[in-house]
Amino acid sequence: MDSSPSLSSIRLSRSELAVFVSGVVSMGLEILAGRMIAPEFGSSIYTWGSLIGVFLAALSLGYHRGGKRAATHASTSRLVGLFLLSALYVAGLILFGDLLLQATAGLPLPSRFASIPGTVLLFGPPTYLLGYVSPYAAELSGQSDVGAASGHVYAVGTVGSIVGAFATTFLLIPTMSTSQIGLLFGLLSVGTAVALAVPNVDRDQVFWSLGITLVLLVAGATGGVGLDIGGDVVYDTQTAYQELRVVDSGGTRTLYLDGQPHSAMDKSDPTRHVFEYTSYFHAPYLFTDEGRDIDRVLFVGGGGFTGPRVFLDTYPNVTVDVVELDPEVVRVAKEYFAVEESERLTIHTMGGRQYLQQTDETYDLIVLDAYKKDKVPFQLTTVEFMQLADERLDDDGILFANVISAPSGPASQFYRAEYKTMQQVFPQVYSFPTAGGVVVQNIEVVATKQDTLVTREELQARNRQRDVGIDLSAQLTSYRNDEPTDDVPVLRDDRAPVDSLLDPMVGQRYVVVQSNESATGGRTNATSATNIVGEGLETHSAVPASESRSV
């Protein structure tokens, strides 16, 4: 006797189909919401906690209201209407999501709660509507045992949620844009509405199904409206880790990750320092003893490989290893930023801490360039990580960290905590804010194994005496070596409150100083003072301008 299940035994009933799809769409939208909100509000624990809370609240309210109305209102036609309304709202998300998020970002709320209004406005209504589906489906199941009907319905819905979570995370986000994923969920909702309605589809249902499908297709084709990064978008994708965008503006190509600039390249002169902070990558050469070369460099974080290019183009004897977690970042760097692996450049696609734990290599310099303004991998900030980096450095090796924070004031908490953490491992720690003032900016932190303090005056003297490929006299004026750290914690693996330390920076303008260099031979000088403002980022030309080695 054939014991295998028949096709009819595993076919979903209409109510089961409705519940299953509602689980897929609601959980898929929740995962997608994290990617849509991240460019505006970051992806800290506060953002994700708020997002999960809003979705649970909207679903609970939908369950409650649907349960009270199910006995008198539950019908197949109402389920059809719920899915069509949800699809229409998803079309609105695609078209106006960015604009609405940017509008709510200006509300006067504590930064850790800043993402809640936008999340409620964008994702509360469709999630609330989908919450009606389960109690309506339980009522329509025809079972007299209320407990059995409810348990079965919520089990099917949970399976749908599992499918939605895994499919969105592992399949959709790595291969599709947010607007395309939204379009897919919208079309899935319309398709479910049609499947529920057949064969008794009335004229209104046909009209609304076709109309909403058309709106969804238009929304998916346009990709939405709203303020955007200035320039021509050359490439745009959702990776497994972040939103990635390559933008050309004038003669400059910039890599944006989750809406923030991470690397920039002058297309006509790829070796030029576009962002001022990259000139500080030469500073470690002033902290070494006379005659001591830096030959082996490790970068934790690749981006557009601006930093590695600085060493490869300036110092012929240097070899560089780069550890980059996101394989799509590596691919984009090769295709759009002219990065080529060679005997002097080796790329490892893995986590930075994982690499340091596995490698037997030692380095003269480790550059930590994996921090974002509002998304910092805590495992790269702790005492234990600093000890691991110290073990992978030569006896007189140097750790260089590109930190995004404010040098003082409330928004400086992360920088000062990281400074204090480095002091637990390295005898001397120095820092160089790159933009001046108390704004959020790149702060270059240099940690050495040398017990003897190197003063600002000694660094200036070495800058005059040594040829490190660039004149750093202007950059060295921001020298700091004695930061107040009594009110910030030492970061440890078992307690690294990075999200709360980053919290004061939410909504703050991130200022990147843009150098204006010419390659006319030798050490060059130029001055300019133009500002470009957009998406919470302000880019200044350097004043005084940085000076660059001619290549």
Side-chain angles (χ1 to χ4, degrees):
M1 180 177 179
D2 187 5
S3 61
S4 62
S6 65
L7 187 61
S8 60
S9 67
I10 60 175
R11 182 182 297 130
L12 294 177
S13 67
R14 294 191 183 190
S15 59
E16 290 171 335
L17 174 65
V19 172
F20 180 80
V21 173
S22 71
V24 172
V25 174
S26 62
M27 185 55 70
L29 285 177
E30 185 171 349
I31 302 298
L32 182 63
R35 305 311 295 264
M36 293 182 66
I37 288 174
E40 191 65 44
F41 297 103
S43 55
S44 71
I45 191 172
Y46 301 115
T47 302
W48 273 105
S50 299
L51 190 152
I52 293 170
V54 167
F55 270 80
L56 290 175
L59 280 174
S60 297
L61 186 58
Y63 292 152
H64 174 71
R65 293 287 296 166
K68 293 183 68 174
R69 297 163 62 92
T72 56
H73 289 75
S75 67
T76 300
S77 63
R78 289 187 184 274
L79 284 177
V80 170
L82 288 171
F83 279 103
L84 289 177
L85 281 174
S86 298
L88 182 60
Y89 206 95
V90 169
L93 283 179
I94 300 171
L95 282 171
F96 306 110
D98 289 343
L99 198 62
L100 291 173
L101 284 174
Q102 290 156 3
T104 59
L107 295 176
L109 289 173
S111 55
R112 64 183 60 187
F113 304 118
S115 64
I116 294 179
T119 305
V120 171
L121 183 62
L122 268 66
F123 299 99
T127 308
Y128 168 73
L129 292 172
L130 291 171
Y132 274 74
V133 173
S134 291
Y136 277 23
E139 181 68 25
L140 295 172
S141 66
Q143 296 189 39
S144 57
D145 188 336
V146 176
S150 299
H152 179 69
V153 161
Y154 288 110
V156 172
T158 301
V159 172
S161 296
I162 294 170
V163 172
F166 278 95
T168 306
T169 301
F170 295 104
L171 178 62
L172 301 183
I173 286 179
T175 58
M176 303 171 69
S177 68
T178 55
S179 59
Q180 290 171 335
I181 297 171
L183 172 62
L184 179 63
F185 288 141
L187 293 177
L188 178 60
S189 297
V190 173
T192 303
V194 173
L196 292 172
V198 293
N200 303 313
V201 184
D202 61 35
R203 182 179 301 176
D204 287 343
Q205 289 171 339
V206 172
F207 171 79
W208 282 106
S209 297
L210 292 175
I212 293 172
T213 299
L214 180 60
V215 173
L216 281 166
L217 293 174
V218 170
T222 60
V225 297
L227 300 176
D228 203 354
I229 296 171
D232 299 324
V233 177
V234 178
Y235 181 71
D236 186 10
T237 190
Q238 291 285 337
T239 80
Y241 301 94
Q242 57 211 331
E243 178 193 53
L244 183 153
R245 185 174 297 177
V246 179
V247 178
D248 283 352
S249 180
T252 301
R253 173 164 292 174
T254 304
L255 173 68
Y256 289 85
L257 300 178
D258 282 338
Q260 297 176 18
H262 275 257
S263 296
M265 178 183 72
D266 186 329
K267 293 190 293 183
S268 63
D269 184 7
T271 64
R272 183 174 78 83
H273 293 284
V274 177
F275 290 154
E276 171 71 3
Y277 75 85
T278 61
S279 64
Y280 289 80
F281 288 145
H282 299 270
Y285 285 86
L286 301 181
F287 284 92
T288 61
D289 292 331
E290 184 70 34
R292 175 69 169 87
D293 290 331
I294 295 176
D295 297 324
R296 292 277 296 155
V297 178
L298 171 67
F299 269 79
V300 179
F305 286 64
T306 302
R309 184 180 283 119
V310 167
F311 288 92
L312 294 172
D313 292 338
T314 309
Y315 309 109
N317 295 326
V318 167
T319 59
V320 180
D321 287 344
V322 179
V323 183
E324 170 57 53
L325 179 63
D326 193 337
E328 181 66 7
V329 169
V330 174
R331 192 194 68 79
V332 167
K334 291 179 177 179
E335 182 172 351
Y336 295 98
F337 290 85
V339 173
E340 295 182 4
E341 290 193 73
S342 65
E343 292 182 355
R344 297 179 58 210
L345 174 63
T346 304
I347 301 173
H348 308 270
T349 307
M350 60 194 306
R353 186 161 175 170
Q354 179 187 11
Y355 174 80
L356 287 175
Q357 289 169 336
Q358 295 179 2
T359 187
D360 294 326
E361 298 284 350
T362 57
Y363 297 92
D364 303 309
L365 172 66
I366 295 177
V367 180
L368 186 54
D369 195 19
Y371 298 163
K372 297 181 184 178
K373 172 176 175 268
D374 47 21
K375 185 179 181 182
V376 174
F378 86 90
Q379 70 273 16
L380 302 182
T381 68
T382 63
V383 166
E384 290 83 358
F385 174 79
M386 299 305 163
Q387 291 170 338
L388 180 60
D390 177 70
E391 293 171 1
R392 297 295 178 266
L393 285 168
D394 291 338
D395 292 340
D396 52 357
I398 296 171
L399 177 67
F400 182 102
N402 179 29
V403 176
I404 299 176
S405 184
S408 58
S412 70
Q413 292 181 31
F414 172 66
Y415 153 63
R416 292 186 296 112
E418 190 71 322
Y419 188 97
K420 185 176 184 178
T421 302
M422 290 183 180
Q423 285 183 316
Q424 310 306 303
V425 178
F426 294 92
Q428 296 293 341
V429 182
Y430 312 83
S431 64
F432 300 87
T434 63
V438 297
V439 296
V440 175
Q441 59 192 276
N442 294 82
I443 302 176
E444 310 312 320
V445 183
V446 180
T448 72
K449 293 188 174 186
Q450 299 175 353
D451 293 324
T452 305
L453 175 69
V454 181
T455 66
R456 187 201 320 258
E457 290 72 24
E458 288 174 302
L459 288 174
Q460 290 284 16
R462 292 178 182 182
N463 178 63
R464 292 190 296 270
Q465 296 162 2
R466 301 180 185 180
D467 181 9
V468 298
I470 187 172
D471 181 3
L472 293 173
S473 56
Q475 288 83 344
L476 295 175
T477 59
S478 66
Y479 171 103
R480 301 164 78 122
N481 181 249
D482 186 21
E483 297 291 23
T485 57
D486 291 343
D487 62 331
V488 291
V490 174
L491 304 177
R492 304 184 185 278
D493 280 355
D494 63 350
R495 186 177 183 273
V498 171
D499 290 305
S500 62
L501 296 170
L502 294 172
D503 187 54
M505 288 195 285
V506 175
Q508 298 270 354
R509 189 178 61 206
Y510 170 30
V511 176
V512 182
V513 178
Q514 188 175 35
S515 61
N516 185 13
E517 304 168 352
S518 61
T520 56
R523 296 182 174 187
T524 63
N525 199 356
T527 58
S528 178
T530 58
N531 298 339
I532 305 170
V533 181
E535 286 203 352
L537 160 71
E538 185 166 334
T539 306
H540 293 270
S541 291
V543 185
S546 66
E547 300 178 11
S548 172
R549 171 182 178 270
S550 171
V551 179

